[in-house]
Amino acid sequence: DAGVTQSPTHLIKTRGQQVTLRCSPKSGHDTVSWYQQALGQGPQFIFQYYEEEERQRGNFPDRFSGHQFPNYSSELNVNALLLGDSALYLCASSLESRNTGELFFGEGSRLTVL
Amino acid sequence: GQQVMQIPQYQHVQEGEDFTTYCNSSTTLSNIQWYKQRPGGHPVFLIQLVKSGEVKKQKRLTFQFGEAKKNSSLHITATQTTDVGTYFCAGRRGYSTLTFGKGTMLLVSP
């Protein structure tokens, strides 16, 4: 039973570019959340997708957008990259629609913006 | 907005010593979860506490949820080198998503 998978694992971009990160949730899970984790910090909530819609959003600008597909996989897009967007981007999946259970995290995508 | 604070930020102990990390929320929580992140790894779920005053144990780990449901603690008895990592608490209000603290990094020297 595959856990949460994310791709790519590492990537380097320059300021102003755009990036797309991908996530496949744990088998049977229907909810995907995205977190940004800067070095030495805790994960910061970006947004959550359920039934292909953004259900909740954290305090991130519109440059951060996402999508969920019918198979529950998800993408995170970041436009007009800034140096401060350098971080580990974590995808977490869960199985409930009422946000009461644990999150299963993927290994993350480490983004470096130069 | 909701804030979750953890102390200490960092602790270095000798193997066999005890370790405690504390978590405080600015608001009353529905539940609190604890995660462990090994160096270079991703957060892994440890436990969830839901009830006021709840205490749960996992081998050498003891988790507590405060009576007011605004604070929590994780205590590790007789640390081992395998306990190395950053421990995060994450609180939830109602059906909102989890808000993570900044974590406590634990180093254990043999």
Side-chain angles (χ1 to χ4, degrees), chain A:
Chain A
D1 180 22
V4 180
T5 58
Q6 291 186 244
S7 63
T9 54
H10 294 83
L11 68 167
I12 300 174
K13 293 285 187 178
T14 57
R15 280 179 297 175
Q17 285 189 312
Q18 177 265 344
V19 67
T20 297
L21 308 178
R22 297 175 176 82
C23 171
S24 292
K26 180 179 170 63
S27 178
H29 282 187
D30 57 7
T31 303
V32 172
S33 302
W34 286 92
Y35 286 82
Q36 180 195 67
Q37 186 177 27
L39 200 61
Q41 301 294 315
Q44 296 293 309
F45 174 70
I46 304 175
F47 41 55
Q48 183 183 74
Y49 278 86
Y50 172 69
E51 292 188 338
E52 302 180 50
E53 291 193 357
E54 183 182 291
R55 181 165 64 174
Q56 295 191 45
R57 188 179 183 93
N59 189 26
F60 278 80
D62 292 343
R63 298 187 297 109
F64 289 77
S65 63
H67 188 79
Q68 186 179 35
F69 299 94
N71 66 353
Y72 306 120
S73 67
S74 177
E75 288 182 350
L76 163 65
N77 300 291
V78 187
N79 294 321
L81 285 168
L82 304 173
L83 296 179
D85 295 331
S86 295
L88 179 67
Y89 288 85
L90 294 163
C91 169
S93 74
S94 52
L95 174 63
E96 75 295 319
S97 59
R98 302 180 74 190
N99 285 325
T100 58
E102 67 186 272
L103 298 179
F104 290 80
F105 283 89
E107 297 284 347
S109 294
R110 184 163 297 282
L111 170 65
T112 301
V113 182
L114 301 177

